[in-house]
Amino acid sequence: NSMENTRKNFPVLSQYIYANTASAGLLNDKLLEWRQEHDLDYLIGGSNMKTKAMQQLIPDVRKTVADFFGCQEKNTALVPNFSLGLNMLLEGLDNTQKVLLLENDYPSVDWPFSSRGFPITYAKIDAYLEENILDAVKKENISILALSIVQWQNGIKINLDFLKELKKEYPDLLIIADGTQFLGTTNFDFESSAIDVLGASAYKWLLAGYGNGLMFFKDAVKGRCALKTIGFNAAAAKPELKNDIRFARRFEAGHLSCLNFGSLKFSLDFLTEIGKNKIEQHNKMMAKKAKYEFTQLGLLQDFVVERKEYSTIFNIKANDALFQRLSENDLICAQRGGGIRFGFHFYNTENDIDAVVKILETAR
């Protein structure tokens, strides 16, 4: 089984049951090798190596990222993380536009809007999330919808087909999405989605380590956003290009780390090798099993159980003592939103879920 073989690349898995990709994706030993090699080259090559790496590697990364997620290369930006990317974007947006956010969404989605004084309406996250959004857009004269595709606390996942319907009905609605808890779990194509701006940090489900992320844009965004961000790297270090910088490139104002972005390319190549569809099928199977087991134990919130579409993240009702017990049993998970959050990825197996269930049953 190729998934079983893949597990061997992640040393953490030989010691722990790892159910915490929603906090940090695992480093794999082949990526570590690549990173060491890269720094050794820098050590002995100095600026010769660096100049070459920047000229070759960064464009390669951009192309790999664009191809992997079905975005146009010219509309793909490499950013250190989602939060910085969103803040740069919002500096160029008119802050009198009404924004719809989700209650208790990830703070980095919410705070950049509130700190700039945008008028904000909130939609409730429950079994009827999509209806709540549609309702608000209808009644509140909303210009911008900003949300995480998958919710960090409880794993609630927005229906992407619903966003398509919404966009058909309200073509001028600007949809900004955070894909940090989503990209890497399924086979996703940006161009055919209804999302106008999609950003993500890549240290979770994309397993690329810290300091690398991405932003994708649809062409329509450029007319609505007067970006102020600029720097020498955005102009490809050519002063004469200062007034001719393409939209996505403005997010790359300064030099990008070849180590970090090279890690992103390495990880995407690694995921491509395993197969995006294979990963999606495996994760769907894992999510289905986890949902079933946790529902049997009565540990999920009702509105999570009611939803037909869900992610690989689950939050169970639990106290500190249970969290302690799980930790003592070499299970790595996280306390979030008043419960315990599990996240399962392609390197997890059904045995992992069985082991979690066993501990939860004895704790009752």
Side-chain angles (χ1 to χ4, degrees), residues 78 125 251 305 318 322 337 348:
L78 303 176
I125 297 177
F251 288 81
V305 176
L322 182 55
N348 290 112

Side-chain angles (χ1 to χ4, degrees), residues 10 12-13 17-27 152 180-185 201-208 210 283 312-313 332-334 336 341-348 352:
F10 302 95
V12 170
L13 301 178
I17 296 170
Y18 194 75
N20 208 19
T21 303
S23 290
L26 293 178
L27 182 64
W152 66 301
T180 303
Q181 295 288 16
F182 170 69
L183 293 184
T185 60
S201 297
Y203 65 88
K204 296 184 191 286
W205 307 87
L206 291 170
L207 317 181
Y210 289 80
N283 284 347
T312 48
I313 297 174
I332 301 179
C333 50
R336 292 287 184 278
R341 182 185 70 184
F342 301 103
F344 300 104
H345 207 3
F346 66 86
Y347 43 55
N348 290 112
D352 291 347

